[in-house]
Amino acid sequence: MSAVTSENSNAGLPLVSVVVPVYKVERWLDRCVSSIVHQTYENLEIILVDDGSPDGSSKKCDEWAGRDGRVVVLHRANEGVSAARNAGMDAAHGDYLCFVDSDDAVEPQLAETAVRAAQRYDAQIVFYANMNDRYNDEGTLLDSAQQSSVAFVAETAEEFKRHFLELSHGQYVCPPWNKLFLTSFVKQVGIRFPEGVVGGEDSAFNFPLYVAAERVVAIDEPLYRYSMRVGSTMNTFDPRLLEGRVSVHAALLPIIQEWNPTYLNDHDNRLITNVWIVLSLLYADRRPQIRQRRGTIVRGIIANPVVRECARSVNAVGTKNRLMTVLIHNGNVLATRIIMRAVNLLKRIRSKVSR
């Protein structure tokens, strides 16, 4: 199939730029790119950003470019997903922009459905639902379920703010991959993904767009397939995950306070949830160098001033968040270590039983 641009005779359809950051996904990449090139909507620019992949992903990117003229490949030194997405945005020529993670997939009608909604309502952002597909380490699909269902049309900034809690409760808010953006709107806001931040970088990109948005559509049709890989390869602790989330949480706090204070408690709950997730990864990671430092790491997390202030002010939602809030508020390192060790042990027992 030949390359297409927004200036050619492709029935006057707007060009959609699809940015795919690629890193160490040799097993999953063909599934991802195949789902994009086989869209019912053909006027696409598919930008594969090879972020210095040390496996066969780089070669696969070039193979796809050879098969389909709409595929553009950018080979770069490894700088992380934010830098890769920024490079993809810089190279994009589309009227609309969307992101797809290279271990995920999309439904054939994603671009067609999202563009139709964007044009009908002159939308700056179109949200769409997703399926969560759980795979094991061997690549076998374990189960699949729709994340949630939210649908609305907001034609003013105030309408969008009134619907924002629906989006938050449906888990639509943070990812960059469940949205179609009007490219001129993104350029007008001037936002980019923060490079060097690991954890929370998606929210740092999205929220300035939310603050500026006036025309927004949410589609309850699951158009994106998010891959959740469960197993030992995912149990790796990285201290930067919490560092990034804490810094982004603190940076967004005054923005949210001014723009949409009804979302503040959800914002705080999200940080507490992330503390639980990071601690779970810490106790699932069995590398000796990590196990030896668990106590010190837990103590640092519990003592973090942003985390402690969040635990003080939040109205915790859910059993895990309520428990985590009490542990943080009381500064109880020992109890935190005992509970997270028990949680990890229970997970390992359940995993063995389910095999």
Side-chain angles (χ1 to χ4, degrees):
M1 187 174 292
S2 60
V4 290
T5 69
S6 54
E7 291 79 26
N8 73 10
S9 60
N10 196 26
L13 295 175
L15 179 67
V16 177
S17 295
V18 185
V19 175
V20 185
V22 176
Y23 184 72
K24 292 177 68 173
V25 285
E26 184 175 5
R27 174 188 288 177
W28 307 90
L29 187 60
D30 284 343
R31 169 177 170 266
C32 174
V33 181
S34 178
S35 74
I36 301 172
V37 301
H38 290 107
Q39 289 286 294
T40 58
Y41 187 96
E42 295 187 354
N43 202 24
L44 304 175
E45 175 187 52
I46 305 164
I47 305 172
L48 306 181
V49 186
D50 169 29
D51 190 33
S53 291
D55 61 357
S57 299
S58 177
K59 180 181 178 182
K60 282 184 176 291
C61 288
D62 291 334
E63 290 171 349
W64 275 107
R67 280 182 242 166
D68 193 314
R70 298 172 300 172
V71 176
V72 177
V73 180
L74 305 179
H75 293 292
R76 298 166 46 85
N78 177 246
E79 295 183 85
V81 66
S82 289
R85 287 177 177 148
N86 287 338
M89 285 197 295
D90 290 341
H93 300 93
D95 303 285
Y96 293 99
L97 172 70
C98 66
F99 299 95
V100 177
D101 284 356
S102 51
D103 54 352
D104 295 338
V106 296
E107 294 294 342
Q109 70 277 20
L110 182 147
E112 182 178 2
T113 303
V115 168
R116 187 187 302 123
Q119 290 191 300
R120 180 177 180 181
Y121 299 105
D122 190 24
Q124 297 157 315
I125 306 174
V126 177
F127 291 80
Y128 33 83
N130 67 277
M131 300 295 293
N132 290 328
D133 296 333
R134 289 198 321 133
Y135 292 86
N136 63 19
D137 280 347
E138 289 70 45
T140 302
L141 180 64
L142 301 176
D143 54 58
S144 183
Q146 184 170 339
Q147 175 67 43
S148 61
S149 180
V150 177
F152 65 81
V153 175
E155 297 182 302
T156 67
E158 288 303 315
E159 281 186 83
F160 177 44
K161 284 194 283 188
R162 286 197 295 270
H163 285 287
F164 199 73
L165 283 183
E166 292 177 59
L167 290 171
S168 176
H169 297 162
Q171 304 299 318
Y172 282 67
V173 168
C174 292
W177 41 253
N178 61 350
K179 305 166 185 70
L180 180 79
F181 300 98
L182 180 64
T183 304
S184 59
F185 172 62
V186 175
K187 290 182 177 179
Q188 176 188 341
V189 175
I191 193 62
R192 296 172 69 79
F193 289 91
E195 299 181 15
V197 175
V198 179
E201 69 277 3
D202 297 345
S203 292
F205 176 80
N206 285 330
F207 269 84
L209 296 172
Y210 298 156
V211 172
E214 297 177 340
R215 302 178 303 280
V216 179
V217 177
I219 302 171
D220 59 4
E221 185 177 350
L223 300 175
Y224 192 95
R225 305 199 72 95
Y226 175 66
S227 298
M228 306 168 66
R229 301 205 298 276
V230 298
S232 59
T233 59
M234 300 303 293
N235 294 331
T236 303
F237 170 77
D238 185 340
R240 296 177 301 170
L241 286 173
L242 187 64
E243 292 169 6
R245 284 176 168 85
V246 166
S247 64
V248 170
H249 175 90
L252 291 180
L253 196 58
I255 296 172
I256 294 168
Q257 286 172 333
E258 180 177 350
W259 169 66
N260 194 357
T262 61
Y263 176 70
L264 277 173
N265 197 58
D266 279 32
H267 184 59
D268 284 342
N269 268 278
R270 201 171 299 280
L271 179 59
I272 299 300
T273 297
N274 282 318
V275 171
W276 180 281
I277 292 171
V278 169
L279 286 171
S280 297
L281 288 173
L282 173 64
Y283 276 84
D285 193 328
R286 307 188 72 183
R287 291 175 295 173
Q289 65 270 32
I290 296 297
R291 296 175 70 177
Q292 293 167 6
R293 296 175 51 228
R294 279 177 181 164
T296 301
I297 294 170
V298 171
R299 189 171 291 105
I301 292 173
I302 296 296
N304 184 285
V306 175
V307 172
R308 289 188 62 79
E309 175 58 26
C310 181
R312 187 194 65 79
S313 61
V314 70
N315 178 15
V317 177
T319 303
K320 290 180 181 178
N321 275 19
R322 285 193 289 270
L323 174 59
M324 195 76 256
T325 299
V326 171
L327 293 171
I328 296 168
H329 187 68
N330 293 333
N332 201 324
V333 175
L334 179 59
T336 302
R337 296 188 65 186
I338 292 171
I339 289 169
M340 298 314 300
R341 188 181 295 115
V343 168
N344 177 59
L345 179 60
L346 183 58
K347 283 183 180 178
R348 288 168 56 190
I349 292 171
R350 287 177 174 171
S351 176
K352 289 179 180 179
V353 170
S354 63
R355 288 176 183 172

